Amino acid sequence: MDFTPTPEQQAARELAASIFGDLSTHERLKAAGTGCDPALWKTLCASGLPGAVEEVGLLGLVLLLEEQGRTTAQVPYAATCAYGLLPVAAHGTDEQRARLLPGLRDGTLVAAGAFPPRAASAVRGEGGGWRLTGSFPAVPWLREATHVLVPARLPGGAETGCFLAEVVAAGSVEPVELTAPWSAGRLTLAATPAERLGDADTCGSVLSVARTAFAGLQAGVCAGSLARAVEYTTTREQFGRPLAANQGVMLRAADAYMDTEAIRVTAYEAAWRHDEALPARTHALTAAWWASEAGKRVVHAGQHLHGGMGADLDHPVHRHFLWGRQLDSYLGSAPELLAELGELLTEEAA
C-alpha cells in the first residue's frame, strides 16, 4: 500500500485547500444559514475540481473532502461526486456518460443520494422505462440537486437496483433540517420516471464508495475541530498559564489526534483499494465505523476543550460538532456498521 499522493492529487488538494480556506469563512457560513454557498460552489466548479475526481480517483476525492471538512464548507461536493459523477462514470452506459458527465463536471448538474437503501420500489413503465415509488425522510443536499440517485427494489423484491431520477419529476420535495446544515429535503416518489444505472452490484458499490468518501469528509471535520481546540487552548490562559499546559487538556487532545489519524488512514486504505480494483467492501465498512465511533469522540473533545465558548454559536467550532454528529450516523451508525461488517466477514469465512 502506498498512500503518497500523486502530483495530480497533491495539486488538486492544494487548490481545494486554497479555495475552501479563502471562501468558507465564518462570516460566509453564517450568511449561508443551512443552505449552500452558491458563490463558493461556482468557484469550485470553475476551478475544475469536481471533474478532476475522475483523474485523481477515490483516494484523491478523500483528500479533497478532507479540505472541505476542515472548513465545513457548505457545498454539495461530496454528494455530487459520490452519487453522481463517480457512479455515472463507473456504471453508466456510453449514452448516460455523454449526457450526464459534462453537467456533473461543471456543476450545472448536482446529485444527491437517497442512501442508505430503504423501502422504494421500481416497476417497468410504458415504453420499457422505469418508475419509482417510495419515500425518504431526509436526503442531504436534495434542495440543491437536479438529480437524485435512488436504491429501489426490483420487481420480485429479490434485488436492489440503482436509479437516477430528476428531482423536478419527484412527487414532492419538502425542506427538512438536519443536525448539519446540508440543505436536506424529504423526498416522495410517486411513479416517478427514472433511468437505471448499472446492474445488480451497483448499489453495493455506490454505498461503499459513499461510505469511504464521507469518512474522508469526517477526517477533515475532526482535523478542523482539533486544530481549533489546539489554537484556543494554547492562547487562552487560566491562573496565569495556557490551558494547554494542563495535563488533562494535553491527554484529551492527544486522544483526539489518534482518533483522527485512525479515521484518515482507514479511509485512505479503502479508497486506495478501490482505485486499485481490489476488494474494498470490508475496508469501506471499517472506515465508516471509525468515522462514526471515533468521529463523535473527536468533535465532543473539541467542544469540551473550548469550555463555555464551545456552546457559543458565534464561535466556529460548533459547526464541526454539528457536522461530526451528522456524519456519526449518516450511512449507518457504529453498531449498524459493526453488525454489517461482522456478517460480511462471517460470509467470507464460510
Side-chain angles (χ1 to χ4, degrees):
M1 291 181 291
D2 184 4
F3 304 150
T4 305
T6 64
E8 294 78 12
Q9 289 171 338
Q10 186 60 32
R13 183 179 196 173
E14 291 173 358
L15 178 58
S18 175
I19 292 173
F20 288 131
D22 290 344
L23 298 183
S24 185
T25 62
H26 180 51
E27 293 71 24
R28 291 176 66 99
L29 289 170
K30 286 179 66 176
T34 60
C36 175
D37 183 338
L40 174 55
W41 180 240
K42 183 178 180 180
T43 301
L44 197 69
C45 294
S47 72
L49 283 177
V53 173
E54 293 176 89
E55 302 297 327
V56 300
L58 183 55
L59 179 55
L61 176 60
V62 167
L63 295 172
L64 296 174
L65 292 177
E66 274 193 82
E67 301 306 324
Q68 179 185 2
R70 289 180 201 275
T71 60
T72 60
Q74 289 176 203
V75 288
Y77 190 36
T80 292
C81 291
Y83 299 127
L85 197 144
L86 289 178
V88 171
H91 305 287
T93 63
D94 291 341
E95 188 277 331
Q96 286 174 323
R97 288 195 290 268
R99 173 166 47 87
L100 296 170
L101 285 179
L104 291 167
R105 291 175 186 138
D106 65 22
T108 55
L109 299 182
V110 175
F115 280 77
R118 296 192 187 278
S121 61
V123 297
R124 284 281 188 181
E126 296 180 4
W130 291 92
R131 292 189 174 274
L132 307 180
T133 299
S135 61
F136 298 83
V139 178
W141 300 109
L142 184 65
R143 302 199 311 256
E144 312 295 336
T146 59
H147 292 74
V148 58
L149 191 64
V150 181
R153 290 193 305 268
L154 297 172
E159 295 180 354
T160 299
C162 263
F163 297 86
L164 200 60
E166 293 188 25
V167 175
V168 294
S172 71
V173 173
E174 304 172 45
V176 296
E177 299 300 339
L178 303 179
T179 301
W182 285 0
S183 197
R186 181 180 293 107
L187 176 66
T188 302
L189 303 170
T192 301
E195 55 185 310
R196 189 171 181 187
L197 194 67
D199 54 25
D201 296 327
T202 300
C203 187
S205 174
V206 169
L207 185 55
S208 290
V209 167
R211 281 171 167 163
T212 303
F214 281 96
L217 185 63
Q218 180 75 302
V221 170
C222 291
S225 175
L226 182 58
R228 293 190 184 280
V230 169
E231 179 184 9
Y232 180 79
T233 56
T234 53
T235 56
R236 174 78 170 180
E237 291 190 358
Q238 191 175 59
F239 305 117
R241 64 176 185 170
L243 289 173
N246 295 303
Q247 187 179 45
V249 172
M250 289 189 283
L251 291 174
R252 191 81 189 273
D255 286 342
Y257 174 79
M258 294 304 297
D259 274 336
T260 301
E261 288 301 297
I263 300 169
R264 177 181 287 119
V265 74
T266 52
Y268 284 5
E269 182 181 11
W272 178 84
R273 291 182 66 87
H274 175 274
D275 291 342
E276 295 295 316
L278 297 170
R281 186 178 169 191
T282 57
H283 301 80
L285 280 164
T286 301
W289 181 84
W290 274 104
S292 175
E293 187 70 14
K296 64 179 166 225
R297 287 199 297 263
V298 174
V299 296
H300 273 266
Q303 194 87 348
H304 186 198
L305 290 174
H306 278 79
M309 291 298 295
D312 186 353
L313 296 184
D314 284 330
H315 195 288
V317 75
H318 81 279
R319 293 193 183 88
H320 295 273
F321 180 81
L322 295 177
W323 280 60
R325 288 314 310 256
Q326 184 70 56
L327 288 164
D328 153 33
S329 59
Y330 183 53
L331 299 181
S333 64
E336 292 173 322
L337 294 166
L338 200 59
E340 187 177 342
L341 178 59
E343 291 174 1
L344 183 59
L345 292 173
T346 302
E347 291 173 6
E348 291 181 351

